[in-house]
Every structure is written in C-alpha cells, then in structure tokens.
Amino acid sequence: MYNQNNLLCSNGFREFFLQIKNNSDSPFQIAKTIERNYHLIADELPIAKMYIHLDVPDNILDPVPPDGRNLEIKLCSDENKTGNDFIYFCHTTGDHGLAKIDMYPPAGYTWNENEKKALEFFSEIIFMVFGKSRLGRMMSRTFIMDMLTGAANVRGFNMFGDMLYKSGRLSQYVSMFFNIKNFNYINRNVGSREGDIILRKYVKQISNELESDEEIICRLGGDNFIILVKFSNSEKILEYLKSVQIDCVKNNFKQSFDIRVRAGIYKIQENDAMSDVIHNANIAFHQTRITGNGDYIWFKESMKNQVLKNNEISAVFPKALEEKEFVVYYQPKVMLSNNHLCGCEALVRWFRNGKLVPPMEFIPTLEQEGSICRLDFYVLEQVCRDINYWLENGMQPFCVSVNFSKAHLRHSDFADNIISIIKKYNIDSKYIEVELTETSSYENFEILSKFINRMKENGICTSIDDFGTGYSSLNLLKDLNVDIIKLDKSFLDNLESHNKSDEVLIKHIVGMVSDLNMNIIAEGVETAEQADFLRSVHCNMAQGYLFDRPLPRNEYEDRLRNGVYNIAAT
C-alpha cells in the first residue's frame, strides 16, 4: 500500500480503490467487486480470505438481504492455502449497527505489526465503501419510496411502470387500486403509532406475495394503495387481499386485525400510459363505493361516461341549489292499525332544464364528494318553512322525517346546526324526525350515540334507516337510544312467495323493537298482503306505493286535510 517514493499510496492500491469506491450495489455485489480486484494489491497486502458480518437494524430505506448479512470474500482460490489465525476489526454504523471484518492470512504467513496497521487501515477502507454504498442506496430510495411503509411512492411506481412500458411488457399487467376498509377504527383502537406499524406489516405481507422485482406495491397516501401485478398472478393476489391477518401487541396485549379492502382492477391495454393505469383503476375503485355491487370491481369503458356525468353533477350542483332546482316531496306514513296518516318522509327531487333527474343519478355522487351535507340541510330548511306554512294556514302537520347522511357525523357541529335551524323557524321540535342513513356501516358508535342523545335532549325524534341490511344491526338496537327503526324493504320482497325465513325474521325484529320501547316502520310496502302480514305481527307503521308515492307539497296538503286511506284487507 505504501511505496518507497513516499507517495500517498501505491499505484496498485490507487487502482484498487478507484475500482471499488463508486460501487453502489448490494453488499454481495461489493464483495464480488473486491474479489475481482484484489490482485491489484495482492503483493502489498497478503490476505487469503475475509469475512464481513453485518449486524444492522432493519431500515425500510435499505433492507439488508439475507445474503448481505454474512459475506465471505475469497481472495485466494485455494482454500488449503488459508491460514487458521485471523485478525478482526469492528466498526459502528450511524444507526448503531455493527460491522465486523475478519481477515485471514495465507497459510503459514504471519503478519508483522506494520502489516496489521495496514490491515486496520484496509478494513476502514472496506467499511467506508460499504457505508458509502449503503448511504447512496438509501438516498436513492428516498425519491421513490414511501417513508412510512417501505412501499413505493408515486414516483417509484411510475418509474417501475415506465420500465415495463419501454420493455413492451406493461400490457401483461393488471393495476389494482384499493383502500383498507374501516382503517380509522384500527387507529382509534390501538392509536396512530401502532396503526402505522400495522400499515408497515401489511405492506410487507403483501410484498411477500408479489414476484420480487417483477411486481410492485405503491402507497398513494393514507390507507390507499395501488399495485402492479402480472395478469397471470392477479387472481391469486385478489384472493389474498380479501383477508390479511395482522397482529399488533400494545401494552403486552395482543390483538389480531382482519384487514379487508375495496378494490378497482384494470387490465392494462397496449399503448396505455401510466396515467391510464392509475386513473382507470381508480375509476373502478370508486364504483365499489357508489354501486354497492361488491368490494372488487373490474374497470369497464362505460365507467368513464359515468365519471363525466358525476363531474358534471358536482360542477352544476352549487348553482342548482342556489336556484332552487331541488324540490322537497313528501311520502306519507300510515298507521297500520287504522290506515290513518301519521307522518311523512321528506324526499328531494331535482328538476333540471324541465326534466326530473333520478335520485340515484345524483345522490351517490353528492355522497361521495361531500356535497350531500349541504343538500340535507337545504331539505331541512324547506321542511321547516313548509311546517310553518301549514300551521299558519290551519293545517295540523305530522312529524316529518328528514334524511341525513352519515357523512354529517364527521362534523362536530352537526347537532348544533339542526337545533339552530329548527329554532330559526320557531317550530316545535316534535315536528322533526332525524333519519340517519347508512348507519349500519358507520364504525364509530360513540359519536353516533352522542348525537342521538343530544337530539333526544332537545325533543327531536331520531330513526335508523334500512335496518337489517348491515352486520351491526343488532348492536344498533342494543346500544343506540333511537325512537324509530325503519325496516328495510328487502325483508318484504319475498313475503308473497311465503318465504318462512323472512316472515320469522320480521316477526322477531318487530318483537325486539317493541320490547325495547321503540316504534318500527316498514318501508316499501306495495301490496295489501304485505300490509296484512305487518298488521299480524304488530308492526306500527308503513310507507310505500300501496298508500302513496312521494307527493309534491300541494298534493300532500290534501292528505293533511283528509288523512284516511281506504285500503281493503286481502
């Protein structure tokens, strides 16, 4: 390494150093580079073999592969020419890891003190090269990696996709855009720090199912991900995503979480750009939220037209609301014991350019992008104005139920806003019923319960819509202090075929609700036979086309004046 001309280093060592210093490969590849170039300094520094042991903490920026933790560097081709004695040097990494370098002399050779000092210097050089390489890999990965989970970020995902595109292989792949269902529940249950750990474990488990270097997972933010997998592997990955088990230990208590997702899937086509890969999978993903037709939906070209319609609805909604294109209709509710009018449900209709826009064309879109909250309060204000009008004109109104999306429960002032509007129009709170929609899929019972109790404190009736459609329905009965349960129409659809299972279910649901001192109303009643059965099991109320369709205000006022329905029993 030294020379007689007192230069800094020999020509051989300078050449050796230049060969290894710019190496940013894996530890295993660096070891091979050292082996290939050792001959340049073999005469100056006799070493037969080196072992490098790396004991470094796990780091998502540079996970050390199994073949990189214990490296053998053979500098002598003949194993029999390696001595038994060895010298070792230890080096500490910046993240409190340890690198131990063992050096073996040729057989029968003993290093002198000057050579041992040279070996120590040489080990520093080797450690520096490994450290520089590791730092370079970590810096490179910061540009392409999500720092929380170790998944690729959007830039890394696009780079991977571009590589596939240039090689002509992208069309052999499928993109899957997915979101973890109810991850907020996990965060509330274990805390955000443990929630982050669960996300990391989740990404690692999915990565283990992917083909290394051939497939990729990307975190888009929050609990949203997209993966690129070979079409031939797509069914296997979709099946795996249906249920991923993750364990979490907090305060010496172990919890297991069954993580499930909603996913939009896109089969990539020839000449697709990466923007198409992400966009089309995203379109399919949003269909899982809108249609309710399952948690996995494959992209169809027709979905793009729906996206355009949704965007148009979102764009024109504010002005349509301002210009009062939305009109409140009232569907009567009937007391089954005497066929008398006992209330109604306020339903919104949209008249645009002289045509009726069906609710299913705009309600899901407004739900998805949040404008439904503005529409709900618009309806409440109109209902309060109408109740005022009826009272001032000598008509005795009944309680009107107004639908409110579960999206309102994210807003801490939800209850205050309802109370404020009722007071603004100076009407008795007994005339308003707050009907909460889609509560069976709402995971925060504490917020839901607090809101319902606040309504009750202010004399406002509350009801749960579509009871029986979610897995949490019995918990709703047990834990929530609501006044009215609304039986979902699906229970009535099979009554005329004398489906005993549905009859038994309805009978026992009505009995449970009654025993809990709540009222129950059946929606979607269309035949006299359905009404007769509901009477036989002591269901209180019903609404549906058997009695009336949703009515404009003037026609509903006729019902207020004469609220008796002549429905003959079958």
mmCIF file with all atom_site columns, all heavy atoms in Angstrom, residues 448-466:
data_model
loop_
_atom_site.group_PDB
_atom_site.id
_atom_site.type_symbol
_atom_site.label_atom_id
_atom_site.label_alt_id
_atom_site.label_comp_id
_atom_site.label_asym_id
_atom_site.label_entity_id
_atom_site.label_seq_id
_atom_site.pdbx_PDB_ins_code
_atom_site.Cartn_x
_atom_site.Cartn_y
_atom_site.Cartn_z
_atom_site.occupancy
_atom_site.B_iso_or_equiv
_atom_site.pdbx_formal_charge
_atom_site.auth_seq_id
_atom_site.auth_comp_id
_atom_site.auth_asym_id
_atom_site.auth_atom_id
_atom_site.pdbx_PDB_model_num
ATOM 1   N N   . LEU A 1 448 ? -71.991 8.381  17.145 1.00 0.00 ? 448 LEU A N   1
ATOM 2   C CA  . LEU A 1 448 ? -73.388 8.174  16.762 1.00 0.00 ? 448 LEU A CA  1
ATOM 3   C C   . LEU A 1 448 ? -74.299 8.258  17.980 1.00 0.00 ? 448 LEU A C   1
ATOM 4   O O   . LEU A 1 448 ? -75.335 8.934  17.965 1.00 0.00 ? 448 LEU A O   1
ATOM 5   C CB  . LEU A 1 448 ? -73.516 6.818  16.073 1.00 0.00 ? 448 LEU A CB  1
ATOM 6   C CG  . LEU A 1 448 ? -74.841 6.461  15.411 1.00 0.00 ? 448 LEU A CG  1
ATOM 7   C CD1 . LEU A 1 448 ? -75.235 7.484  14.358 1.00 0.00 ? 448 LEU A CD1 1
ATOM 8   C CD2 . LEU A 1 448 ? -74.758 5.073  14.789 1.00 0.00 ? 448 LEU A CD2 1
ATOM 9   N N   . SER A 1 449 ? -73.913 7.585  19.054 1.00 0.00 ? 449 SER A N   1
ATOM 10  C CA  . SER A 1 449 ? -74.723 7.564  20.271 1.00 0.00 ? 449 SER A CA  1
ATOM 11  C C   . SER A 1 449 ? -74.815 8.950  20.901 1.00 0.00 ? 449 SER A C   1
ATOM 12  O O   . SER A 1 449 ? -75.886 9.377  21.358 1.00 0.00 ? 449 SER A O   1
ATOM 13  C CB  . SER A 1 449 ? -74.120 6.573  21.262 1.00 0.00 ? 449 SER A CB  1
ATOM 14  O OG  . SER A 1 449 ? -74.861 6.541  22.452 1.00 0.00 ? 449 SER A OG  1
ATOM 15  N N   . LYS A 1 450 ? -73.700 9.660  20.894 1.00 0.00 ? 450 LYS A N   1
ATOM 16  C CA  . LYS A 1 450 ? -73.687 11.010 21.468 1.00 0.00 ? 450 LYS A CA  1
ATOM 17  C C   . LYS A 1 450 ? -74.624 11.939 20.703 1.00 0.00 ? 450 LYS A C   1
ATOM 18  O O   . LYS A 1 450 ? -75.356 12.745 21.308 1.00 0.00 ? 450 LYS A O   1
ATOM 19  C CB  . LYS A 1 450 ? -72.251 11.554 21.439 1.00 0.00 ? 450 LYS A CB  1
ATOM 20  C CG  . LYS A 1 450 ? -72.086 12.909 22.118 1.00 0.00 ? 450 LYS A CG  1
ATOM 21  C CD  . LYS A 1 450 ? -70.621 13.334 22.095 1.00 0.00 ? 450 LYS A CD  1
ATOM 22  C CE  . LYS A 1 450 ? -70.443 14.707 22.739 1.00 0.00 ? 450 LYS A CE  1
ATOM 23  N NZ  . LYS A 1 450 ? -69.015 15.132 22.699 1.00 0.00 ? 450 LYS A NZ  1
ATOM 24  N N   . PHE A 1 451 ? -74.629 11.819 19.373 1.00 0.00 ? 451 PHE A N   1
ATOM 25  C CA  . PHE A 1 451 ? -75.512 12.651 18.565 1.00 0.00 ? 451 PHE A CA  1
ATOM 26  C C   . PHE A 1 451 ? -76.981 12.345 18.855 1.00 0.00 ? 451 PHE A C   1
ATOM 27  O O   . PHE A 1 451 ? -77.801 13.255 19.039 1.00 0.00 ? 451 PHE A O   1
ATOM 28  C CB  . PHE A 1 451 ? -75.224 12.433 17.079 1.00 0.00 ? 451 PHE A CB  1
ATOM 29  C CG  . PHE A 1 451 ? -76.248 13.052 16.178 1.00 0.00 ? 451 PHE A CG  1
ATOM 30  C CD1 . PHE A 1 451 ? -76.228 14.408 15.909 1.00 0.00 ? 451 PHE A CD1 1
ATOM 31  C CD2 . PHE A 1 451 ? -77.264 12.284 15.623 1.00 0.00 ? 451 PHE A CD2 1
ATOM 32  C CE1 . PHE A 1 451 ? -77.197 14.994 15.102 1.00 0.00 ? 451 PHE A CE1 1
ATOM 33  C CE2 . PHE A 1 451 ? -78.230 12.850 14.813 1.00 0.00 ? 451 PHE A CE2 1
ATOM 34  C CZ  . PHE A 1 451 ? -78.195 14.212 14.546 1.00 0.00 ? 451 PHE A CZ  1
ATOM 35  N N   . ILE A 1 452 ? -77.331 11.059 18.902 1.00 0.00 ? 452 ILE A N   1
ATOM 36  C CA  . ILE A 1 452 ? -78.724 10.668 19.141 1.00 0.00 ? 452 ILE A CA  1
ATOM 37  C C   . ILE A 1 452 ? -79.192 11.160 20.507 1.00 0.00 ? 452 ILE A C   1
ATOM 38  O O   . ILE A 1 452 ? -80.324 11.662 20.650 1.00 0.00 ? 452 ILE A O   1
ATOM 39  C CB  . ILE A 1 452 ? -78.863 9.134  19.011 1.00 0.00 ? 452 ILE A CB  1
ATOM 40  C CG1 . ILE A 1 452 ? -78.721 8.742  17.534 1.00 0.00 ? 452 ILE A CG1 1
ATOM 41  C CG2 . ILE A 1 452 ? -80.197 8.651  19.561 1.00 0.00 ? 452 ILE A CG2 1
ATOM 42  C CD1 . ILE A 1 452 ? -78.608 7.258  17.296 1.00 0.00 ? 452 ILE A CD1 1
ATOM 43  N N   . ASN A 1 453 ? -78.339 11.043 21.508 1.00 0.00 ? 453 ASN A N   1
ATOM 44  C CA  . ASN A 1 453 ? -78.709 11.519 22.847 1.00 0.00 ? 453 ASN A CA  1
ATOM 45  C C   . ASN A 1 453 ? -78.914 13.030 22.856 1.00 0.00 ? 453 ASN A C   1
ATOM 46  O O   . ASN A 1 453 ? -79.801 13.541 23.552 1.00 0.00 ? 453 ASN A O   1
ATOM 47  C CB  . ASN A 1 453 ? -77.634 11.126 23.854 1.00 0.00 ? 453 ASN A CB  1
ATOM 48  C CG  . ASN A 1 453 ? -77.601 9.630  24.121 1.00 0.00 ? 453 ASN A CG  1
ATOM 49  O OD1 . ASN A 1 453 ? -78.598 8.936  23.912 1.00 0.00 ? 453 ASN A OD1 1
ATOM 50  N ND2 . ASN A 1 453 ? -76.471 9.122  24.578 1.00 0.00 ? 453 ASN A ND2 1
ATOM 51  N N   . ARG A 1 454 ? -78.099 13.735 22.086 1.00 0.00 ? 454 ARG A N   1
ATOM 52  C CA  . ARG A 1 454 ? -78.257 15.201 22.004 1.00 0.00 ? 454 ARG A CA  1
ATOM 53  C C   . ARG A 1 454 ? -79.601 15.556 21.376 1.00 0.00 ? 454 ARG A C   1
ATOM 54  O O   . ARG A 1 454 ? -80.279 16.503 21.807 1.00 0.00 ? 454 ARG A O   1
ATOM 55  C CB  . ARG A 1 454 ? -77.104 15.761 21.174 1.00 0.00 ? 454 ARG A CB  1
ATOM 56  C CG  . ARG A 1 454 ? -77.128 17.287 21.046 1.00 0.00 ? 454 ARG A CG  1
ATOM 57  C CD  . ARG A 1 454 ? -76.552 17.978 22.265 1.00 0.00 ? 454 ARG A CD  1
ATOM 58  N NE  . ARG A 1 454 ? -76.788 19.393 22.210 1.00 0.00 ? 454 ARG A NE  1
ATOM 59  C CZ  . ARG A 1 454 ? -76.116 20.253 21.442 1.00 0.00 ? 454 ARG A CZ  1
ATOM 60  N NH1 . ARG A 1 454 ? -75.141 19.794 20.658 1.00 0.00 ? 454 ARG A NH1 1
ATOM 61  N NH2 . ARG A 1 454 ? -76.388 21.540 21.467 1.00 0.00 ? 454 ARG A NH2 1
ATOM 62  N N   . MET A 1 455 ? -80.002 14.826 20.339 1.00 0.00 ? 455 MET A N   1
ATOM 63  C CA  . MET A 1 455 ? -81.301 15.065 19.722 1.00 0.00 ? 455 MET A CA  1
ATOM 64  C C   . MET A 1 455 ? -82.425 14.829 20.734 1.00 0.00 ? 455 MET A C   1
ATOM 65  O O   . MET A 1 455 ? -83.372 15.618 20.847 1.00 0.00 ? 455 MET A O   1
ATOM 66  C CB  . MET A 1 455 ? -81.488 14.146 18.510 1.00 0.00 ? 455 MET A CB  1
ATOM 67  C CG  . MET A 1 455 ? -80.579 14.436 17.323 1.00 0.00 ? 455 MET A CG  1
ATOM 68  S SD  . MET A 1 455 ? -80.874 16.055 16.519 1.00 0.00 ? 455 MET A SD  1
ATOM 69  C CE  . MET A 1 455 ? -79.600 17.056 17.302 1.00 0.00 ? 455 MET A CE  1
ATOM 70  N N   . LYS A 1 456 ? -82.309 13.735 21.469 1.00 0.00 ? 456 LYS A N   1
ATOM 71  C CA  . LYS A 1 456 ? -83.365 13.397 22.437 1.00 0.00 ? 456 LYS A CA  1
ATOM 72  C C   . LYS A 1 456 ? -83.474 14.468 23.514 1.00 0.00 ? 456 LYS A C   1
ATOM 73  O O   . LYS A 1 456 ? -84.579 14.821 23.956 1.00 0.00 ? 456 LYS A O   1
ATOM 74  C CB  . LYS A 1 456 ? -83.063 12.027 23.058 1.00 0.00 ? 456 LYS A CB  1
ATOM 75  C CG  . LYS A 1 456 ? -84.220 11.450 23.859 1.00 0.00 ? 456 LYS A CG  1
ATOM 76  C CD  . LYS A 1 456 ? -83.961 10.019 24.239 1.00 0.00 ? 456 LYS A CD  1
ATOM 77  C CE  . LYS A 1 456 ? -84.132 9.092  23.065 1.00 0.00 ? 456 LYS A CE  1
ATOM 78  N NZ  . LYS A 1 456 ? -85.561 8.927  22.693 1.00 0.00 ? 456 LYS A NZ  1
ATOM 79  N N   . GLU A 1 457 ? -82.331 15.005 23.937 1.00 0.00 ? 457 GLU A N   1
ATOM 80  C CA  . GLU A 1 457 ? -82.337 16.071 24.948 1.00 0.00 ? 457 GLU A CA  1
ATOM 81  C C   . GLU A 1 457 ? -83.096 17.299 24.462 1.00 0.00 ? 457 GLU A C   1
ATOM 82  O O   . GLU A 1 457 ? -83.634 18.072 25.268 1.00 0.00 ? 457 GLU A O   1
ATOM 83  C CB  . GLU A 1 457 ? -80.898 16.467 25.293 1.00 0.00 ? 457 GLU A CB  1
ATOM 84  C CG  . GLU A 1 457 ? -80.132 15.414 26.083 1.00 0.00 ? 457 GLU A CG  1
ATOM 85  C CD  . GLU A 1 457 ? -78.632 15.725 26.130 1.00 0.00 ? 457 GLU A CD  1
ATOM 86  O OE1 . GLU A 1 457 ? -78.245 16.804 25.619 1.00 0.00 ? 457 GLU A OE1 1
ATOM 87  O OE2 . GLU A 1 457 ? -77.868 14.893 26.651 1.00 0.00 ? 457 GLU A OE2 1
ATOM 88  N N   . ASN A 1 458 ? -83.144 17.485 23.150 1.00 0.00 ? 458 ASN A N   1
ATOM 89  C CA  . ASN A 1 458 ? -83.814 18.650 22.574 1.00 0.00 ? 458 ASN A CA  1
ATOM 90  C C   . ASN A 1 458 ? -85.181 18.302 21.979 1.00 0.00 ? 458 ASN A C   1
ATOM 91  O O   . ASN A 1 458 ? -85.728 19.079 21.193 1.00 0.00 ? 458 ASN A O   1
ATOM 92  C CB  . ASN A 1 458 ? -82.914 19.281 21.509 1.00 0.00 ? 458 ASN A CB  1
ATOM 93  C CG  . ASN A 1 458 ? -81.762 20.059 22.116 1.00 0.00 ? 458 ASN A CG  1
ATOM 94  O OD1 . ASN A 1 458 ? -81.869 21.251 22.398 1.00 0.00 ? 458 ASN A OD1 1
ATOM 95  N ND2 . ASN A 1 458 ? -80.641 19.372 22.320 1.00 0.00 ? 458 ASN A ND2 1
ATOM 96  N N   . GLY A 1 459 ? -85.690 17.136 22.346 1.00 0.00 ? 459 GLY A N   1
ATOM 97  C CA  . GLY A 1 459 ? -87.041 16.759 21.929 1.00 0.00 ? 459 GLY A CA  1
ATOM 98  C C   . GLY A 1 459 ? -87.161 16.398 20.459 1.00 0.00 ? 459 GLY A C   1
ATOM 99  O O   . GLY A 1 459 ? -88.261 16.438 19.893 1.00 0.00 ? 459 GLY A O   1
ATOM 100 N N   . ILE A 1 460 ? -86.052 16.041 19.816 1.00 0.00 ? 460 ILE A N   1
ATOM 101 C CA  . ILE A 1 460 ? -86.070 15.698 18.397 1.00 0.00 ? 460 ILE A CA  1
ATOM 102 C C   . ILE A 1 460 ? -86.001 14.183 18.248 1.00 0.00 ? 460 ILE A C   1
ATOM 103 O O   . ILE A 1 460 ? -85.097 13.529 18.769 1.00 0.00 ? 460 ILE A O   1
ATOM 104 C CB  . ILE A 1 460 ? -84.880 16.355 17.653 1.00 0.00 ? 460 ILE A CB  1
ATOM 105 C CG1 . ILE A 1 460 ? -84.937 17.883 17.815 1.00 0.00 ? 460 ILE A CG1 1
ATOM 106 C CG2 . ILE A 1 460 ? -84.889 15.975 16.173 1.00 0.00 ? 460 ILE A CG2 1
ATOM 107 C CD1 . ILE A 1 460 ? -83.694 18.599 17.349 1.00 0.00 ? 460 ILE A CD1 1
ATOM 108 N N   . CYS A 1 461 ? -86.941 13.647 17.524 1.00 0.00 ? 461 CYS A N   1
ATOM 109 C CA  . CYS A 1 461 ? -87.037 12.206 17.313 1.00 0.00 ? 461 CYS A CA  1
ATOM 110 C C   . CYS A 1 461 ? -85.943 11.742 16.344 1.00 0.00 ? 461 CYS A C   1
ATOM 111 O O   . CYS A 1 461 ? -85.582 12.470 15.415 1.00 0.00 ? 461 CYS A O   1
ATOM 112 C CB  . CYS A 1 461 ? -88.428 11.903 16.752 1.00 0.00 ? 461 CYS A CB  1
ATOM 113 S SG  . CYS A 1 461 ? -88.737 10.171 16.454 1.00 0.00 ? 461 CYS A SG  1
ATOM 114 N N   . THR A 1 462 ? -85.424 10.552 16.557 1.00 0.00 ? 462 THR A N   1
ATOM 115 C CA  . THR A 1 462 ? -84.410 10.002 15.651 1.00 0.00 ? 462 THR A CA  1
ATOM 116 C C   . THR A 1 462 ? -84.827 8.610  15.170 1.00 0.00 ? 462 THR A C   1
ATOM 117 O O   . THR A 1 462 ? -85.506 7.866  15.888 1.00 0.00 ? 462 THR A O   1
ATOM 118 C CB  . THR A 1 462 ? -83.029 9.892  16.318 1.00 0.00 ? 462 THR A CB  1
ATOM 119 O OG1 . THR A 1 462 ? -83.132 9.118  17.515 1.00 0.00 ? 462 THR A OG1 1
ATOM 120 C CG2 . THR A 1 462 ? -82.459 11.255 16.624 1.00 0.00 ? 462 THR A CG2 1
ATOM 121 N N   . SER A 1 463 ? -84.408 8.285  13.963 1.00 0.00 ? 463 SER A N   1
ATOM 122 C CA  . SER A 1 463 ? -84.707 6.963  13.413 1.00 0.00 ? 463 SER A CA  1
ATOM 123 C C   . SER A 1 463 ? -83.501 6.436  12.658 1.00 0.00 ? 463 SER A C   1
ATOM 124 O O   . SER A 1 463 ? -82.640 7.207  12.217 1.00 0.00 ? 463 SER A O   1
ATOM 125 C CB  . SER A 1 463 ? -85.924 7.015  12.483 1.00 0.00 ? 463 SER A CB  1
ATOM 126 O OG  . SER A 1 463 ? -85.686 7.881  11.387 1.00 0.00 ? 463 SER A OG  1
ATOM 127 N N   . ILE A 1 464 ? -83.446 5.116  12.528 1.00 0.00 ? 464 ILE A N   1
ATOM 128 C CA  . ILE A 1 464 ? -82.371 4.444  11.803 1.00 0.00 ? 464 ILE A CA  1
ATOM 129 C C   . ILE A 1 464 ? -82.949 3.872  10.512 1.00 0.00 ? 464 ILE A C   1
ATOM 130 O O   . ILE A 1 464 ? -83.915 3.115  10.524 1.00 0.00 ? 464 ILE A O   1
ATOM 131 C CB  . ILE A 1 464 ? -81.754 3.317  12.649 1.00 0.00 ? 464 ILE A CB  1
ATOM 132 C CG1 . ILE A 1 464 ? -81.096 3.899  13.906 1.00 0.00 ? 464 ILE A CG1 1
ATOM 133 C CG2 . ILE A 1 464 ? -80.764 2.511  11.838 1.00 0.00 ? 464 ILE A CG2 1
ATOM 134 C CD1 . ILE A 1 464 ? -79.942 4.820  13.637 1.00 0.00 ? 464 ILE A CD1 1
ATOM 135 N N   . ASP A 1 465 ? -82.337 4.255  9.391  1.00 0.00 ? 465 ASP A N   1
ATOM 136 C CA  . ASP A 1 465 ? -82.817 3.844  8.071  1.00 0.00 ? 465 ASP A CA  1
ATOM 137 C C   . ASP A 1 465 ? -82.264 2.470  7.704  1.00 0.00 ? 465 ASP A C   1
ATOM 138 O O   . ASP A 1 465 ? -81.190 2.075  8.155  1.00 0.00 ? 465 ASP A O   1
ATOM 139 C CB  . ASP A 1 465 ? -82.350 4.885  7.045  1.00 0.00 ? 465 ASP A CB  1
ATOM 140 C CG  . ASP A 1 465 ? -82.927 4.629  5.675  1.00 0.00 ? 465 ASP A CG  1
ATOM 141 O OD1 . ASP A 1 465 ? -84.009 4.039  5.596  1.00 0.00 ? 465 ASP A OD1 1
ATOM 142 O OD2 . ASP A 1 465 ? -82.280 5.014  4.683  1.00 0.00 ? 465 ASP A OD2 1
ATOM 143 N N   . ASP A 1 466 ? -82.999 1.737  6.877  1.00 0.00 ? 466 ASP A N   1
ATOM 144 C CA  . ASP A 1 466 ? -82.531 0.473  6.285  1.00 0.00 ? 466 ASP A CA  1
ATOM 145 C C   . ASP A 1 466 ? -82.076 -0.536 7.325  1.00 0.00 ? 466 ASP A C   1
ATOM 146 O O   . ASP A 1 466 ? -81.071 -1.218 7.148  1.00 0.00 ? 466 ASP A O   1
ATOM 147 C CB  . ASP A 1 466 ? -81.374 0.733  5.301  1.00 0.00 ? 466 ASP A CB  1
ATOM 148 C CG  . ASP A 1 466 ? -81.816 1.596  4.140  1.00 0.00 ? 466 ASP A CG  1
ATOM 149 O OD1 . ASP A 1 466 ? -83.021 1.590  3.837  1.00 0.00 ? 466 ASP A OD1 1
ATOM 150 O OD2 . ASP A 1 466 ? -80.971 2.282  3.549  1.00 0.00 ? 466 ASP A OD2 1
#
